[in-house]
Amino acid sequence: MFDIHRIRPHEGLQFRDIRLRALADGPRAFGTTLAEAQAQTDAYWQQRAESSAVSDTRFLAIASAGDEWVGVAGGMFDYDNSEVAEIISVWVDPEHRRSGMAAALVETVADWAGDRGAKQLHLWVTETNEPARRLYRRLGFAEMGARAVIQ
């Protein structure tokens, strides 16, 4: 069983810890490297939590099993189009995969975006991450054909 909540202002260091775990687990799945994230200060992580806890344009959903954080997903609005939100940084601890947690996290972010006027949701996923691609197709996402090269 798991619970999902919006990150709270005081949870910056917990967010850092789960983000580092995600980057270590899937080094090619995110736009940030583990080394880049490890180089950030505690103040940086605290600011991320504080701003994401209250922002109308950024959101972080946290999944926990008991006291342990085991999943995360983010959302942010497109800077140029307030009707488009992007789902970002979805990750679930390997021990909790295939539990419905990823879908619940994505749906939580989608609900947040929809409540704020989003008409479209976008996301990026690596072509080699077939489990994630299946999840997103099951949730109704369709491939748009756009490709990005991350080096």
Side-chain angles (χ1 to χ4, degrees), residues 27-55:
R28 299 195 43 82
F30 302 99
T32 303
T33 68
L34 179 59
E36 290 168 338
Q38 288 171 326
Q40 298 297 336
T41 65
D42 288 354
Y44 166 85
W45 295 105
Q46 192 56 44
Q47 187 279 328
R48 287 275 312 267
E50 289 171 3
S51 65
S52 295
V54 298
S55 176

Side-chain angles (χ1 to χ4, degrees), residues 74-147:
M76 58 186 269
F77 274 86
D78 186 302
Y79 294 112
D80 298 324
N81 185 345
S82 64
E83 292 187 348
V84 176
E86 187 170 354
I87 295 178
I88 59 171
S89 303
V90 178
W91 181 79
V92 171
D93 183 279
E95 291 184 21
H96 294 271
R97 291 180 184 157
R98 304 192 63 75
S99 68
M101 186 180 296
L105 283 162
V106 170
E107 289 169 1
T108 298
V109 175
D111 288 347
W112 165 83
D115 289 348
R116 282 154 186 78
K119 305 278 189 260
Q120 293 181 31
L121 290 173
H122 295 179
L123 59 83
W124 289 92
V125 62
T126 56
E127 289 183 341
T128 58
N129 190 344
E130 192 52 40
R133 292 166 61 98
R134 279 193 305 272
L135 166 72
Y136 298 134
R137 283 191 296 268
R138 192 171 68 246
L139 294 175
F141 287 88
E143 264 193 56
M144 303 293 291
R147 301 284 190 268

Side-chain angles (χ1 to χ4, degrees), residues 59-76:
F59 181 83
L60 279 171
I62 306 299
S64 57
D67 292 335
E68 182 183 11
W69 285 19
V70 293
V72 62
M76 58 186 269

